[in-house]
Amino acid sequence: MAKIIFLVDDSATMLMSVKNTLELAGFKVETAEDGVKAMAKLTAGLKPDLIITDINMPNMGGIEFIKKARALPGFRFLPILTLTTESQQGRRDEGKQAGATGWLVKPVGGADLLKVIKQVLPGA
Amino acid sequence: MAVQSKNNAEFKKSAWRFFLISTGFAVVLVGVSIVFHSTLNFRLGRYEDALFLGLAWGVFSVSQWRLLRLSQKTVKLLPEDQVDANNATLRYIFNRISAYVQDNLAFNNKSNVDFSAASDKHTIALSKAIGVLNTQITHLTETLAQHDGDIDQEFHLFDDVATQTAQTITQYLTLSADIDNALREHITQIATSLDDLKSKLNTLNRKQHEALPSVDNTQNFREIEDIVYLHLSIDNAIDEQLKVISYDTHQSALMLLDLMRHLSDDAESIVKYISNANEKNISKMESDMENSVKFIISIEKFIQNIQEIPDKLRADIAAIQSASGVIDSLAHLVDSIKEISFQTDILAVNAAIQAAHAGEAGLGFKIVADEVRKLAVNSNNAAEMIESGLEKARHTIQDGLKFKFLDEIMLQMNGASQVMIYVQQLQDSQEDMQQYYKTLFAVINQNNTKLAHDISEVLGNIQYEDVVRQRVERIQEVMVMRNDLLRQFAAQLTSDGSAEEIIMQLNNTLNDYLSRESHHNNSLQAKDDEDALPKFELF
């Protein structure tokens, strides 16, 4: 049973890039364009094994999305990675406090991304 | 014709006038020069001045004389545009003369050199100017002589020029007569001009004040300076980011190119490997296939042989059964013979007993009875011999059949072992092929893994587009804000109020932009900064 990764980013290029990398590696990928749409999918019953989210998005940004997702039942220990152009320590701390599992700075090559995913999803 | 004659006459008259005036000018010039030199410490070394002036006058006179001669002929004038051009050149030369004079006057006034030196300079300059004038007139006369045209139409133009020249020369004569006055006059003129300029500037300044009564210029300029400085700072900040964008785009393009080259290499090596493998192995595979076909034909034959065995076996069994039947029936006969011989023996015994009873009469009968008894014993012996013979025959048949089967089996065994070899060879060949394809697939798989990795890296690199797009969006945002503030400032220039608020907002815009930009990864800084935060961090 392929693991499901939920990808949240407002950039179509990012979605295409990361989705293809993950699908090539054998994952099943679900996508959403912002925090609001992502929350809608999660509340509708999507149960991913990992969430990878951007930080700067319209309607609802990544930090707020992580906070809201963590509050959902069954999402307390789900690994959530951020994938963003932001790199400053202050923003990383915000992400950590919101409940992010790790911080990735764009751009991330396929091999590096899969290495990090293997660390947070040991069975993958 | 009458008009032409009249014009010709006017032309001659003007030329005469021009000649007289210019000759007079030259004479006066030389005279003035001599007078000045003699009154103001005329020195022996200045003879060359007089010589030069005399020479100039000579050249000038010759040209005047040529002009005069020309004027007495029927002159063919230039086309209008060339006349205009010549007039312009003449005016330019007169202006130059004027400039020379003014330059000299200005120079003398400034350096306070003695009047004699001033006069010398002026005279030399003037004589040079006359030289130029002379050349131009010579040129003009030559041009006039060379061209055809309607003299009536163009004559008055030349007349004007001649008049103007005469007036200018008169002016210079006056100037030469009283250089000091001219000097003072020029100084006064310059002073007046300066005053006028000053007055105009004051008027301009006053008008500006009237237009912007409440704006303090000093303050205004300071604010403009601040705004320009901030504007430049924002542009510098944007420029820094554009450098990063340029670097990122360049690096990304290089990486993509590199990865594409890897992809291409990997794909090429797969194709090469497969085509090589085909070339090398195709002949071996063909011979293996041929052998396999041969083996299969041999196996088929063997199988046919095996199929024939049951038929033979059935025939052999039937023959055995039939032989056994015959032997069995013969055995019955042996038993009958034994029975007959037994009964014959009993009969002989009985006959012997009866012969004994008969005494002498039975002696012959007794001999017969003995003979019969002997026959019975012999028959029994014969029957046993037949029986043993039949038994031997049965054994012999059975043994014979057994040996035949063994031969068959041996033969089949040989065939089977041969088939086993064929099967082994087929199996080997199949294993070879399996191994070959296994290796082929392993190599292809390895290359596919590399291809997948490279494709994945290419996909990762596409993320640069998002990084660059976000950076450009931030630039666009700050530029919109800056332009809005500049528009506000432009509107405020013509109204009351200070631009302090705008400067503050502009400053905030710059700081906000720099702060936001510092939150993001900067590949140019990260490249050189060893303490840069890691790209991947697990909390």
Side-chain angles (χ1 to χ4, degrees):
Chain A
M1 186 69 183
K3 300 243 179 193
I4 300 169
I5 297 180
F6 188 26
L7 205 58
V8 189
D9 203 306
D10 59 322
S11 159
T13 319
M14 280 303 295
L15 289 180
M16 189 213 85
S17 156
V18 181
K19 187 173 189 258
N20 280 308
T21 303
L22 296 177
E23 282 180 349
L24 277 172
F27 293 102
K28 192 172 180 299
V29 180
E30 288 288 334
T31 60
E33 290 81 22
D34 59 46
V36 174
K37 286 179 183 166
M39 278 308 292
K41 279 203 172 182
L42 292 183
T43 47
L46 177 66
K47 292 277 175 216
D49 296 288
L50 166 70
I51 297 175
I52 300 177
T53 176
D54 188 16
I55 291 296
N56 296 311
M57 290 183 289
N59 304 323
M60 189 198 287
I63 302 285
E64 195 185 344
F65 165 62
I66 295 171
K67 280 182 192 164
K68 290 205 167 171
R70 281 277 179 245
L72 289 173
F75 284 83
R76 207 174 149 194
F77 299 108
L78 182 86
I80 303 179
L81 296 173
T82 64
L83 182 53
T84 171
T85 57
E86 299 220 29
S87 175
Q88 206 201 26
Q89 190 57 55
R91 293 292 272 168
R92 288 180 194 230
D93 293 342
E94 270 183 59
K96 195 175 171 181
Q97 277 167 12
T101 316
W103 193 274
L104 310 183
V105 179
K106 290 177 188 175
V108 181
D112 288 333
L113 181 64
L114 294 173
K115 212 189 310 178
V116 176
I117 288 176
K118 231 171 201 177
Q119 281 178 277
V120 293
L121 275 184
Chain B
M1 201 61 197
V3 175
Q4 192 175 341
S5 305
K6 191 186 168 197
N7 283 340
N8 277 342
E10 281 179 5
F11 180 81
K12 282 175 191 170
K13 195 177 159 191
S14 292
W16 264 113
R17 200 170 60 194
F18 180 82
F19 173 72
L20 288 172
I21 292 168
S22 55
T23 310
F25 164 71
V27 170
V28 171
L29 197 67
V30 173
V32 165
S33 179
I34 291 166
V35 168
F36 281 165
H37 282 164
S38 55
T39 52
L40 295 168
N41 298 326
F42 181 73
R43 285 159 291 176
L44 285 172
R46 299 294 173 90
Y47 281 119
E48 66 266 23
D49 287 347
L51 190 67
F52 183 72
L53 277 171
L55 193 66
W57 178 80
V59 173
F60 188 64
S61 299
V62 169
S63 69
Q64 294 298 305
W65 175 71
R66 281 191 67 189
L67 188 64
L68 185 65
R69 286 287 304 275
L70 189 71
S71 70
Q72 287 168 347
K73 294 177 184 172
T74 302
V75 179
K76 292 168 183 173
L77 291 180
L78 289 169
E80 189 174 0
D81 55 347
Q82 262 185 297
V83 171
D84 283 348
N86 283 324
N87 286 345
T89 318
L90 279 171
R91 274 188 213 105
Y92 168 71
I93 290 157
F94 292 138
N95 286 337
R96 288 283 302 276
I97 293 167
S98 170
Y100 274 128
V101 173
Q102 285 181 19
D103 282 349
N104 279 319
L105 290 172
F107 175 74
N108 292 338
N109 182 45
K110 199 175 171 186
S111 59
N112 276 333
V113 294
D114 63 312
F115 191 76
S116 172
S119 170
D120 283 356
K121 272 186 178 296
H122 176 70
T123 313
I124 292 164
L126 201 57
S127 62
K128 280 182 186 168
I130 288 166
V132 176
L133 175 68
N134 183 46
T135 315
Q136 186 58 35
I137 288 169
T138 312
H139 173 67
L140 179 66
T141 51
E142 281 169 4
T143 317
L144 281 169
Q146 284 165 11
H147 283 80
D148 294 326
D150 186 358
I151 192 167
D152 297 338
Q153 201 181 354
E154 305 297 338
F155 176 76
H156 66 279
L157 286 170
F158 187 76
D159 192 22
D160 284 351
V161 173
T163 313
Q164 201 181 350
T165 310
Q167 281 170 356
T168 313
I169 289 168
T170 314
Q171 192 185 344
Y172 286 134
L173 283 170
T174 315
L175 281 171
S176 298
D178 196 351
I179 290 171
D180 190 41
N181 279 347
L183 182 69
R184 286 175 195 285
E185 197 180 313
H186 275 283
I187 290 167
T188 315
Q189 274 177 4
I190 289 165
T192 314
S193 296
L194 282 171
D195 276 341
D196 187 42
L197 192 66
K198 198 177 165 187
S199 151
K200 278 178 181 165
L201 281 170
N202 283 337
T203 312
L204 196 67
N205 201 25
R206 197 175 60 251
K207 278 183 181 168
Q208 196 185 354
H209 270 281
E210 283 166 4
L212 302 164
S214 59
V215 178
D216 176 4
N217 270 353
T218 323
Q219 175 67 17
N220 199 12
F221 286 141
R222 203 165 292 145
E223 284 177 347
I224 289 172
E225 193 184 349
D226 283 351
I227 282 173
V228 168
Y229 175 75
L230 281 166
H231 175 89
L232 287 173
S233 301
I234 290 172
D235 273 0
N236 281 341
I238 288 171
D239 186 50
E240 284 298 314
Q241 292 311 313
L242 287 175
K243 275 182 196 156
V244 177
I245 287 171
S246 167
Y247 176 80
D248 279 355
T249 314
H250 182 65
Q251 288 299 316
S252 169
L254 286 179
M255 263 188 244
L256 280 174
L257 280 175
D258 197 39
L259 288 167
M260 286 299 172
R261 195 180 52 76
H262 278 151
L263 279 176
S264 166
D265 288 352
D266 290 347
E268 200 183 340
S269 65
I270 289 178
V271 171
K272 208 178 269 177
Y273 183 83
I274 290 173
S275 57
N276 254 358
N278 273 348
E279 277 172 22
K280 273 188 189 171
N281 290 289
I282 199 102
S283 55
K284 188 180 180 299
M285 278 169 69
E286 274 174 2
S287 72
D288 282 355
M289 288 295 281
E290 275 173 24
N291 284 336
S292 297
V293 169
K294 278 182 196 164
F295 297 155
I296 287 165
I297 290 168
S298 305
I299 290 167
E300 198 181 359
K301 268 186 190 167
F302 174 71
I303 288 167
Q304 276 175 359
N305 288 340
I306 288 174
Q307 281 173 342
E308 281 168 11
I309 288 171
D311 294 339
K312 279 190 174 178
L313 204 62
R314 269 195 294 276
D316 288 342
I317 288 167
I320 290 164
Q321 280 174 341
S322 153
S324 294
V326 172
I327 289 162
D328 284 346
S329 61
L330 284 173
H332 286 303
L333 280 173
V334 170
D335 287 342
S336 300
I337 291 165
K338 275 185 178 175
E339 186 68 33
I340 290 165
S341 66
F342 177 67
Q343 284 187 352
T344 307
D345 189 37
I346 290 171
L347 193 62
V349 170
N350 282 333
I353 292 166
Q354 289 300 323
H357 281 300
E360 287 283 333
L363 278 174
F365 190 66
K366 192 189 173 245
I367 293 162
V368 174
D370 287 340
E371 284 302 319
V372 169
R373 207 178 161 195
K374 274 184 191 171
L375 184 67
V377 171
N378 287 342
S379 296
N380 195 36
N381 289 340
E384 278 175 358
M385 278 175 74
I386 290 164
E387 195 176 18
S388 117
L390 282 172
E391 194 61 30
K392 275 182 185 173
R394 189 188 285 154
H395 279 296
T396 307
I397 288 165
Q398 281 176 351
D399 288 349
L401 273 174
K402 209 181 275 173
F403 283 128
K404 205 179 174 185
F405 280 144
L406 275 175
D407 287 347
E408 279 293 332
I409 286 163
M410 280 305 285
L411 196 69
Q412 300 302 337
M413 282 297 281
N414 284 338
S417 64
Q418 192 60 44
V419 167
M420 283 299 284
I421 291 166
Y422 293 158
V423 169
Q424 186 61 47
Q425 282 175 347
L426 269 177
Q427 202 177 350
D428 288 350
S429 134
Q430 193 201 358
E431 275 174 7
D432 278 354
M433 282 172 74
Q434 268 181 349
Q435 188 57 44
Y436 163 69
Y437 281 114
K438 219 168 151 182
T439 315
L440 190 70
F441 285 131
V443 171
I444 291 172
N445 203 31
Q446 192 187 354
N447 274 296
N448 275 349
T449 312
K450 272 170 76 187
L451 277 175
H453 174 266
D454 287 348
I455 288 168
S456 174
E457 291 303 308
V458 169
L459 289 169
N461 253 284
I462 292 170
Q463 295 174 17
Y464 269 111
E465 187 274 339
D466 186 45
V467 177
V468 168
R469 182 181 54 79
Q470 287 193 33
R471 194 162 272 136
V472 170
E473 278 173 2
R474 289 194 293 274
I475 287 175
Q476 281 173 331
E477 211 173 300
V478 71
M479 281 175 82
V480 165
M481 286 169 79
R482 181 196 66 180
N483 292 345
D484 190 40
L485 289 168
L486 286 178
R487 261 193 293 277
Q488 283 181 36
F489 176 68
Q492 215 177 44
L493 278 175
T494 52
S495 64
D496 293 350
S498 162
E500 265 179 48
E501 178 65 22
I502 291 173
I503 291 172
M504 201 180 74
Q505 284 186 30
L506 208 52
N507 216 351
N508 289 342
T509 306
L510 172 63
N511 290 335
D512 282 354
Y513 174 65
L514 290 174
S515 158
R516 266 186 302 149
E517 212 50 72
S518 73
H519 290 179
H520 293 85
N521 185 39
N522 183 323
S523 20
L524 270 177
Q525 283 172 10
K527 188 167 66 100
D528 305 321
D529 189 2
E530 286 177 1
D531 299 329
L533 288 167
K535 278 193 82 178
F536 317 120
E537 185 184 4
L538 291 179
F539 301 132

